Amino acid sequence: MANSKAKQGQPSPTTDVPSFFVKFRKDLTAVPQKDGRIALFRNGGKVLDVPDIPLIEELRKSWMAEESIDRLAEFSGNAPALYFLTEKLFSLDLLQMQCRVGRQALFTFQPAPEWQAWREIPPAPFRRLSPFLCLRQEGNSLLLEMPLSQRTCLLHDETCLLWLMEMIREGGSPPAEDEARKVFYRALYLMNALEEKPAQPIWEFHDLLFFSASSIGFHDDPIGATWPLKDHLPPAPLFKPCKRECLFLPEPDGQLKDLLHAPFAEVLAGRRSGRIPGSRPISLEELGALLSTSARFQDILDDPSRPCPGSRRPSPSGGALHSLEIYLLVHSCIGLPSGVWRYDPQQHRLESIAADNNLLEAYLKNNPHALIQGAGMPHIRLVITSRFLRNSWKYEKIAYRLILQDLGCLYQTISLTATALKLASCILGTVDARRLGDLLSLEPLVEPVIGEMTLSSLP
């Protein structure tokens, strides 16, 4: 297929008839049973129990054409049972299918539709590639995937890329004599990657891809607590260790302690975003009461059922992993020097963080509430990060989704605590994650900045 003409960027019709082969999916595990049968497992659960027959053995180790299955059925002595089993494997999405022209593999499609699906041609009006179609590298091939579609197409030959580019430039159906390209067009149709008219601009590409990939039902990949990194990396520690000078925070006492005993319904009803700071800076005692009540470690969850320990804290966290870290950019605080600090929830203390003073000063000069009349500089900006390995070590596909859910919970917990303490807090909708990461000297893929809020005394 990858002939010289195609390599020069001039795809030509392929008159060879494509052939199709099926095989068990790579993520399918076959486990022999004592009764002479074989149990098939996917995503940690058994999906089917099958007899130990040549069909199963062949599908485990090699690609099979439809004619090969017909021959097995002919000599099996029970052809209806073998065809029924084959249909069952198709219906449960346990097979992958490879399309070849001659000896060259064009693409592999997963999960495989039944044979007749490739003999149909998509309706003519479907002429556009979806703007949500995604192409990325997987191994030595390129993977085509589509949000909200359970099917993927692994491209092995560059001719497929030329066909994609031709569709983008010219649109339209493939030439009638080009059988291989018609089959590839059919693959795109089966993935829902062809559309009749432009999609409504409700979703952006990254939003739809994230929603689809991190939700159950729109794909058939492993998802949830699969411990994908358990055999590759050690888990991240429960608490980020302190490496620099620390300042212990005061415990809630006196009037602050009384304020924290306000009726919950009253606090909930009174919560508002406070963007105008008071003339008096926030105090270290108020800050200590806020962090102790909203983010302090309570106890450790560590038992044989947990490959990595978790903890209980006032704000909920998926799997009790609590990957979130709170950094404080202090503009003015009574009893606390200006600068950058990190909250240590285990010891209820602040760790001094080395930061470039010029970067810090420049950042703090940018008032996030500048458009609000009367809004001066916030006294403190709380920057929220995530030690991502805490979540990705346990969860597959949903690690970032859970982190964002944790962030929302922490936002609300801090906001309600601030309300009870008569403080002004406000969650920021946009976050300059790259700039803050540079300021805090954090690696963006190890501990990304994911949120920010302001904290001040009330006016």
Side-chain angles (χ1 to χ4, degrees), residues 88-259:
K88 189 74 172 177
L89 297 175
F90 275 114
S91 66
L92 292 177
D93 295 334
L94 302 182
L95 301 175
Q96 56 180 321
M97 181 172 281
Q98 189 170 97
C99 174
R100 301 176 187 172
V101 173
R103 296 184 178 181
Q104 175 62 43
L106 278 183
F107 62 83
T108 298
F109 201 77
Q110 181 175 283
E114 295 199 34
W115 306 102
Q116 61 266 26
W118 302 104
R119 302 181 183 121
E120 303 170 8
I121 298 300
F126 290 89
R127 296 182 176 182
R128 295 173 52 93
L129 278 176
S130 168
F132 297 112
L133 186 64
C134 180
L135 179 67
R136 62 183 175 88
Q137 182 174 351
E138 184 169 291
N140 294 324
S141 301
L142 289 170
L143 181 69
L144 271 178
E145 55 187 342
M146 180 73 192
L148 309 185
S149 175
Q150 293 191 350
R151 288 169 167 159
T152 61
C153 188
L154 194 64
L155 309 184
H156 306 297
D157 191 280
E158 59 265 38
T159 306
C160 296
L161 296 177
L162 297 173
W163 289 336
L164 283 173
M165 289 305 302
E166 192 170 276
M167 289 183 66
I168 293 171
R169 288 194 302 265
E170 302 175 10
S173 302
E177 71 277 11
D178 196 339
E179 295 296 330
R181 187 176 165 187
K182 284 195 294 185
V183 166
F184 181 62
Y185 193 74
R186 181 65 181 169
L188 296 173
Y189 176 75
L190 292 172
M191 292 174 60
N192 296 324
L194 299 179
E195 57 182 27
E196 183 176 358
K197 57 184 179 180
Q200 292 293 323
I202 299 174
W203 288 80
E204 292 193 46
F205 167 76
H206 65 282
D207 287 326
L208 187 60
L209 182 63
F210 173 58
F211 168 71
S212 171
S214 62
S215 300
I216 295 176
F218 298 118
H219 59 85
D220 61 354
D221 294 331
I223 190 169
T226 64
W227 311 98
L229 301 179
K230 183 179 178 182
D231 298 325
H232 303 281
L233 292 170
L238 182 57
F239 301 103
K240 185 174 182 177
C242 291
K243 299 179 180 179
R244 293 174 55 85
E245 179 184 352
C246 292
L247 171 68
F248 282 90
L249 289 166
E251 301 289 344
D253 199 7
Q255 183 185 7
L256 293 175
K257 190 173 183 180
D258 293 338
L259 288 174

Side-chain angles (χ1 to χ4, degrees), residues 217-449:
F218 298 118
H219 59 85
D220 61 354
D221 294 331
I223 190 169
T226 64
W227 311 98
L229 301 179
K230 183 179 178 182
D231 298 325
H232 303 281
L233 292 170
L238 182 57
F239 301 103
K240 185 174 182 177
C242 291
K243 299 179 180 179
R244 293 174 55 85
E245 179 184 352
C246 292
L247 171 68
F248 282 90
L249 289 166
E251 301 289 344
D253 199 7
Q255 183 185 7
L256 293 175
K257 190 173 183 180
D258 293 338
L259 288 174
L260 290 170
H261 289 147
F264 175 72
E266 179 182 315
V267 173
L268 191 62
R271 190 218 61 78
R272 297 291 185 273
S273 294
R275 300 177 178 86
I276 301 178
S279 57
R280 171 189 66 82
I282 192 172
S283 70
L284 182 65
E285 288 74 22
E286 289 171 322
L287 184 60
L290 176 89
L291 294 173
S292 175
T293 305
S294 62
R296 191 173 186 175
F297 150 79
Q298 295 169 325
D299 60 77
I300 293 177
L301 300 174
D302 191 6
D303 57 68
S305 67
R306 291 178 173 272
C308 66
S311 66
R312 286 194 181 96
R313 305 184 194 184
S315 180
S317 173
L321 295 175
H322 289 286
S323 74
L324 303 186
E325 297 286 336
I326 301 175
Y327 292 82
L328 298 86
L329 309 186
V330 178
H331 176 67
S332 57
C333 178
I334 299 172
L336 182 65
S338 299
V340 181
W341 303 81
R342 182 184 68 86
Y343 179 58
D344 173 14
Q346 185 181 23
Q347 301 293 332
H348 188 49
R349 60 185 180 177
L350 296 177
E351 178 190 13
S352 175
I353 301 297
D356 186 303
N357 289 332
N358 292 328
L359 292 178
L360 176 62
E361 184 179 354
Y363 191 81
L364 291 179
K365 281 184 179 179
N366 182 23
N367 187 350
H369 308 313
L371 297 179
I372 306 298
Q373 186 175 1
M377 288 293 183
H379 296 153
I380 294 176
R381 294 171 76 157
L382 302 179
V383 177
I384 316 298
T385 69
S386 169
R387 291 185 292 130
F388 196 80
L389 182 59
R390 285 288 297 166
N391 283 69
S392 62
W393 198 81
K394 176 179 180 179
Y395 290 109
E396 191 167 359
K397 292 284 188 185
I398 61 171
Y400 188 53
R401 173 188 280 262
L402 291 180
I403 287 169
L404 293 182
Q405 292 176 184
D406 290 358
L407 176 64
C409 293
L410 183 61
Y411 273 156
Q412 178 74 331
T413 304
I414 292 177
S415 297
L416 292 176
T417 306
T419 300
L421 292 169
K422 309 298 183 184
L423 298 174
S425 69
C426 183
I427 298 164
L428 302 183
T430 57
V431 180
D432 195 338
R434 182 169 183 173
R435 188 177 179 187
L436 283 168
D438 291 342
L439 174 61
L440 300 172
S441 299
L442 300 174
E443 296 184 43
L445 298 183
V446 175
E447 189 177 339
V449 174

